[in-house]
Amino acid sequence: MDQNKHLDKTAEAQSSENKKTRHCNGLKMFLAALALSFIAKALGAVVMKSSIIHIERRFEISSSLVGFIDGSFEIGNLLVIVFVSYFGSKLHRPKLIGIGCFIMGIGGVLTALPHFFMGYYRYSKEINIDSSENSTSTLSTCLINQIVSLNRTSPEIVGKGCVKESGSYMWMYVFMGNMLRGIGETPIVPLGLSYMDDFAKEGHSSLYLGILNAIAMIGPIIGFTLGSLFSKMYVDIGSVDLSTVRITPNDSRWVGAWWLNFLVSGLFSIISSIPFFFLPQTPNKPQKERKASLSLPVLETNDGKSQTANLTSRGKKITKNVTGFFRSFKSILTNPLYVVFVLLTLLQISSYIGGFTYVFKYVEQEYGQPSSKTNVLLGIVTLPIFASGMFLGGYIIKKFKLNPIGIAKFSFFTAVMSLFFYLLYFFILCENKSVAGLTMTYDGNNPVTSHRDVPLSYCNSDCNCDESQWEPVCGNNGITYISPCLAGCKSSSGNKKSIVFHNCSCLEVTGLQNRNYSAHLGECPRSDACLTKFYFFVAIQVLNLFFSALGGTSYFMLMLHLKYVPWTDIFSSPITGGILAPIYFGALIDTTCMKWSTNNCGTRGSCRIYNSTLFSKVYLGLSSVLRVSSLVLYIILIYAMKKKFQEKDANASENGSVMDEANLESLNNNKHFVPSAGADSETHY
């Protein structure tokens, strides 16, 4: 008898050990797959942000409209996030994540498709002086008392009608593809983290979260690297003779091969979905065993009455889930702490999303650096620092075992430090660009109060120039002119990228001595002092991102710990910020534009050049106001949380109940951040 008991205990121990092994291996495989999906998600996000400036130019649209396109990702999120977060925990979470990754990949591929249906990119209106003349350039120069004729057929890039050109509505496919990407991304974070927290060891969630966020930084590093590479490639690479393309990546009309970014990220997302379809619903039970256990009740219930009873029971359960969801949603909306937290999140997320969406445009306009260079610096220099901050944030929370109030204070501290470094950007701004006809008169001697309707000068009034043309040239006097004709240039030499214009009358009146009054193609570069300020910008960006990342993990853990803010509702705040922020950031940026393009449909296209000083004040000022407002709400939140804890302790003392240390630790390590069926959110604080 004793021997049988010993054998039973040994068998039970072996069975328990096997379950632990399966549980450990299953969770590890899931974490590995989840890390891959995090990389794909981050890659897709960076690809979109780094391609914004090229999409705007390719489709000839404003910053506000391209911001609306960028916000379509969050629109897709908003369509399904509540239902995925609330009901997703009751379904097969790994498969749902796999389906999401697949949809996300399809969205990426769809975003790239317009490139294959549009005509070649046409970056300018060509003006031929005389087709029979052996001229080295087809660009317009000053022809006094002669008639110029417009030739709208570019020798190197041929448009195929207004519908197929950059001013068409083909951007809607980008909008729909980005929305699909948002729908597919929805289940990754809430279901992935809930699965991890349900089956991870007690107290390990914050560490795993920090590791996942750190690994996810591989995605942005790849994205920024590819963005830099593809932005140097001409948009129609493989379709046109690149030797005939006159503009360079430093030109405000340059469009890189943005579509290659989305093809790569889309295919990677599809590949990342594959492992999830082979993972079990729970890591402590193999897939075959789970299917067998699910099939047994079907074999045993052959009676029709039993099947009817099962269907009735299932219908009641669904009704109970829906009723519980609406009851939870209603009670949370009336919770003051929830409202404060959502408003805080909305302001903070809006600042981050709005700033990141237009950071490439900001660097280009303020410091004169192309997006290819910005991609490299953000990807190689700043992102490893950002990943270190995310990991360190999770480690600090675990090391010091911070409670919800401690986490809130830590998050507040990191937000203050991030704002401090952000405000330093105001001290490293460059001077406004010197552009004749926009920031100063055409003779280059006097600044203008407004860039609108600057009158022609005697140096170019007889040149019969097309004032709507944008073909900038840089004079030897350091001033940029809108076109060689408006600079009063009489002749040119060289071809394509090396064109030089001579005898420019508007350069003569600026007081140049012993010069030939020539200009070369392209805008004048920024000064060496401005370039130095750009490197200061990168250094400050590193510190700013480090503290933002340090607070990122604490912010997620605050949501995880505070039961009164379930994942079903808190994501509505970042989503709202992601939809609105790019739009109103873009609308305000549009007000700083000095020169708009005119597409071949006769409508306004994208902006060619901004008032860099006003652009910086709008861009940095709006983000700063949002951040300061969020800090005020942080203070209110911390005060309200302290008050709630004090009230709870007072009530516990009155009832004669004392919470021991184990229960307190259990409260601080709450794992139910995806609510169960019919959960009553009244208990959430």
Side-chain angles (χ1 to χ4, degrees), residues 26-46:
L27 182 61
K28 285 182 178 179
M29 288 189 294
F30 177 81
L31 289 175
L34 189 63
L36 192 64
S37 69
F38 267 49
I39 293 174
K41 180 174 73 72
L43 173 62
V46 167

Side-chain angles (χ1 to χ4, degrees), residues 352-379:
Y352 293 148
I353 292 179
F356 186 43
T357 300
Y358 299 102
V359 66
F360 298 98
K361 184 187 289 289
Y362 170 75
V363 171
E364 180 185 71
Q365 293 298 319
E366 181 61 33
Y367 301 106
Q369 302 300 318
S371 60
S372 58
K373 187 173 182 179
T374 309
N375 270 287
V376 170
L377 289 174
L378 286 179

Side-chain angles (χ1 to χ4, degrees), residues 123-130 133 135-143 148-149 151 154-156 246-247 253 469-473 482-486 489-501 519-522:
Y123 50 79
S124 68
K125 297 182 295 182
E126 297 291 346
I127 301 178
N128 285 339
I129 301 172
D130 187 348
E133 183 181 351
S135 176
T136 58
S137 172
T138 59
L139 298 180
S140 170
T141 55
C142 180
L143 296 175
V148 295
S149 60
N151 181 359
S154 171
E156 60 262 38
R246 188 176 63 249
I247 58 176
R253 296 163 295 172
Q469 186 184 19
W470 177 255
E471 197 70 52
V473 294
I482 296 175
S483 70
C485 182
L486 287 170
C489 302
K490 306 298 190 304
S491 61
S492 62
S493 61
N495 52 28
K496 302 309 172 189
K497 298 183 178 74
S498 59
I499 299 176
V500 178
F501 300 91
H520 61 270
L521 201 61

Side-chain angles (χ1 to χ4, degrees), residues 446-511:
N446 301 300
V448 295
T449 56
S450 174
H451 63 272
R452 303 179 188 276
D453 301 322
V454 177
L456 295 176
S457 171
Y458 63 88
C459 66
N460 59 12
S461 58
D462 295 330
C463 290
N464 299 314
C465 302
D466 179 7
E467 295 182 47
S468 65
Q469 186 184 19
W470 177 255
E471 197 70 52
V473 294
C474 178
N476 287 341
N477 55 358
I479 298 175
T480 298
Y481 294 84
I482 296 175
S483 70
C485 182
L486 287 170
C489 302
K490 306 298 190 304
S491 61
S492 62
S493 61
N495 52 28
K496 302 309 172 189
K497 298 183 178 74
S498 59
I499 299 176
V500 178
F501 300 91
H502 307 286
N503 302 319
C504 303
S505 57
C506 289
L507 273 69
E508 296 181 31
V509 298
T510 58

Side-chain angles (χ1 to χ4, degrees), residues 35 100 153 220 242 248 327 354 408 445 465 489 502 563 579 675:
T153 303
L242 297 181
T248 67
R327 192 186 343 163
N445 290 325
C465 302
C489 302
H502 307 286
K563 299 172 69 176
I579 295 173

Side-chain angles (χ1 to χ4, degrees), residues 590-608:
D590 283 339
T591 62
T592 68
C593 181
M594 296 191 297
K595 181 72 174 179
W596 292 94
S597 67
T598 302
N599 58 34
N600 291 315
C601 299
T603 58
R604 192 181 78 174
S606 59
C607 184
R608 295 304 190 199

Side-chain angles (χ1 to χ4, degrees), residues 40-46 48-49 66-81 100 103-104 107-108 111 174-189 262 353 574-576 578-579 582:
K41 180 174 73 72
L43 173 62
V46 167
M48 187 64 198
K49 299 299 183 183
V66 82
F68 177 63
I69 294 174
D70 182 63
S72 64
F73 176 85
E74 279 74 19
I75 293 175
N77 256 197
L78 189 60
L79 292 175
V80 295
I81 181 62
I103 295 175
M104 186 168 62
T111 303
V174 180
F175 179 90
M176 291 186 292
N178 200 38
M179 183 186 292
L180 264 183
R181 200 171 60 83
I183 292 173
E185 188 264 356
T186 303
I188 295 177
V189 173
F262 290 100
I353 292 179
I575 289 172
T576 306
I579 295 173

Side-chain angles (χ1 to χ4, degrees), residues 507-521:
L507 273 69
E508 296 181 31
V509 298
T510 58
L512 288 176
Q513 300 295 329
N514 301 323
R515 301 250 183 128
N516 60 357
Y517 310 116
S518 63
H520 61 270
L521 201 61

